[in-house]
Amino acid sequence: MKQQILIIEDNEQNLYLVTFILEKYGYEVIQARNGKEGIETAKNIMPDMILLDIQLPVMDGYEVARELKKCMGKKNIPVIAITSYAMTGDREKALEAGCTDYITKPIDPDTFILSIQQHLADRFSEGE
Ligand code: MN
């Protein structure tokens, strides 16, 4: 069975790029275009990983991360923040909100896929 990755992202171009890369590497990608839809989908499908854009309309990524942690924190699903903010403070803010790690836009396909594979491997080795 393919591993499922949920991406919560409102930017069509980035959504397309990330989906393209992940599908190329054999993952099943589920898309959500806002935080509310993302949280509902996460609860329903319990994906293997969640990629979370921080700059989302209405409910920002930090808020989504906190909500995800609250409702499914025990599931140990990696939540990787994706943001164009290059400042270290934002990385800390994402981690504080419950994200596992942080990937910076613009996405570099090679380092991006390595990071995804590493987080999925880490999760697997933890017995999930
Ligand atoms: Mn965005």
Side-chain angles (χ1 to χ4, degrees):
M1 213 174 111
K2 285 184 178 184
Q3 286 182 297
Q4 292 182 317
I5 300 179
L6 168 65
I7 170 149
I8 308 171
E9 164 70 271
D10 65 318
N11 180 284
E12 290 297 330
Q13 221 175 338
N14 207 48
L15 197 56
Y16 178 85
L17 175 65
V18 169
T19 301
F20 179 82
I21 298 167
L22 293 174
E23 286 182 345
K24 185 180 156 196
Y25 282 87
Y27 299 107
E28 184 182 340
V29 180
I30 300 96
Q31 301 179 337
R33 285 172 172 76
N34 63 66
K36 189 171 177 283
E37 187 190 331
I39 290 164
E40 279 169 19
T41 307
K43 284 191 212 167
N44 286 338
I45 66 171
M46 292 291 168
D48 295 286
M49 173 181 281
I50 299 169
L51 297 176
L52 175 61
D53 179 29
I54 291 300
Q55 286 182 289
L56 290 169
V58 189
M59 187 180 189
D60 73 22
Y62 302 119
E63 202 181 330
V64 176
R66 283 191 288 269
E67 186 61 28
L68 286 171
K69 193 169 188 180
K70 203 161 71 185
C71 62
M72 43 200 291
K74 289 190 182 74
K75 297 289 177 188
N76 195 28
I77 297 169
V79 178
I80 313 297
I82 300 181
T83 179
S84 48
Y85 298 150
M87 292 160 68
T88 49
D90 293 306
R91 180 182 180 128
E92 282 156 17
K93 215 170 147 189
L95 298 178
E96 269 169 25
C99 294
T100 314
D101 199 4
Y102 173 100
I103 289 171
T104 312
K105 287 184 199 177
I107 284 173
D108 174 293
D110 297 330
T111 53
F112 171 75
I113 199 68
L114 284 174
S115 176
I116 298 304
Q117 289 168 334
Q118 187 58 56
H119 280 293
L120 285 168
D122 289 348
R123 178 163 184 251
F124 186 72
S125 68
E126 282 160 16
E128 274 292 312

